[in-house]
Amino acid sequence: MEIILKEDIIGLGYKNDIVNVKSGYGRNYLIPTGKAVIASPSAKKVLAENLKQQAHKLAAVKTEAEKRAEALNGVALVIEAKVSATGVTYGSVNAATVAEELKKKGIEIDRKIITMRDIKKVGDFEAVVHFHKDVEVILPVKVVAENVVVETSQVEAPVAETPKEEVEEVPAAE
């Protein structure tokens, strides 16, 4: 089934793209939720006319996306996570976690435009930020173990040295 997307759907296409999908996906999800319309010949003509009229506006959107992408150049994230003894994280590091870390650095990015696999171990990974269909930034993400804080009740107080009594050694029985 051929459809025209009305909004960006990561993994499928971008707004105003004509894509082929399985008919059930298009009929039961994309069209009823307003994310797409059927690509009839008349709809294609309307799309072509709209794209021609919006060319200047789309160029401005692309330059804005490039400016936002420039802000991410050179940014590398180090995310601390609670880790088990085997190096596996409790929970996972995902796009929402990356968006929160970027927010702490003063860069506001919606988590929906970040794609990555859920990270469940310590190491170096990549996240891709999709600002525009032609503008993507690969963001290095390093997951490290969180410093474990030892409670004072668990720390043993140093024992004062007491003079050792001399103990006679007993020869071992043979």
Side-chain angles (χ1 to χ4, degrees):
M1 165 181 245
E2 203 172 44
I3 59 169
I4 300 172
L5 296 176
K6 288 186 168 183
E7 61 185 60
D8 296 349
I9 300 174
I10 294 178
L12 185 58
Y14 296 93
K15 183 177 180 177
N16 296 327
D17 282 354
I18 298 174
V19 294
N20 285 317
V21 296
K22 292 193 176 185
S23 59
Y25 182 50
R27 250 193 339 265
N28 297 327
Y29 176 67
L30 294 174
I31 294 171
T33 57
K35 297 180 186 278
V37 293
I38 296 175
S40 64
S42 62
K44 288 180 183 179
K45 287 180 186 176
V46 169
L47 174 65
E49 184 63 30
N50 287 343
L51 288 177
K52 190 163 61 169
Q53 291 177 1
Q54 293 178 353
H56 179 69
K57 190 176 186 180
L58 293 174
V61 169
K62 184 176 178 183
T63 56
E64 179 63 28
E66 289 171 347
K67 286 179 186 176
R68 291 183 68 199
E70 285 295 320
L72 282 183
N73 280 347
V75 173
L77 294 179
V78 177
I79 299 175
E80 292 183 351
K82 292 184 180 180
V83 179
S84 69
T86 60
V88 177
T89 61
Y90 294 112
S92 65
V93 176
N94 53 22
T97 312
V98 170
E100 287 174 20
E101 287 294 319
L102 288 171
K103 190 173 185 178
K104 289 179 187 174
K105 291 188 177 228
I107 303 170
E108 191 76 29
I109 293 182
D110 185 16
R111 67 175 175 80
K112 295 176 185 172
I113 65 170
I114 300 172
T115 56
M116 61 185 286
R117 296 187 342 224
D118 284 347
I119 301 169
K120 298 185 184 215
K121 59 184 177 179
V122 175
D124 294 325
F125 302 94
E126 291 181 343
V128 181
V129 182
H130 306 273
F131 289 109
H132 184 268
K133 67 180 172 181
D134 298 330
V135 181
E136 294 178 346
V137 176
I138 296 175
L139 191 65
V141 177
K142 183 173 188 168
V143 179
V144 295
E146 195 174 73
N147 291 341
V148 179
V149 178
V150 179
E151 294 181 22
T152 56
S153 63
Q154 294 178 347
V155 176
E156 294 181 17
V159 179
E161 286 189 30
T162 55
K164 295 182 181 178
E165 297 178 16
E166 291 187 21
V167 179
E168 292 182 24
E169 290 185 18
V170 180
E174 291 181 16

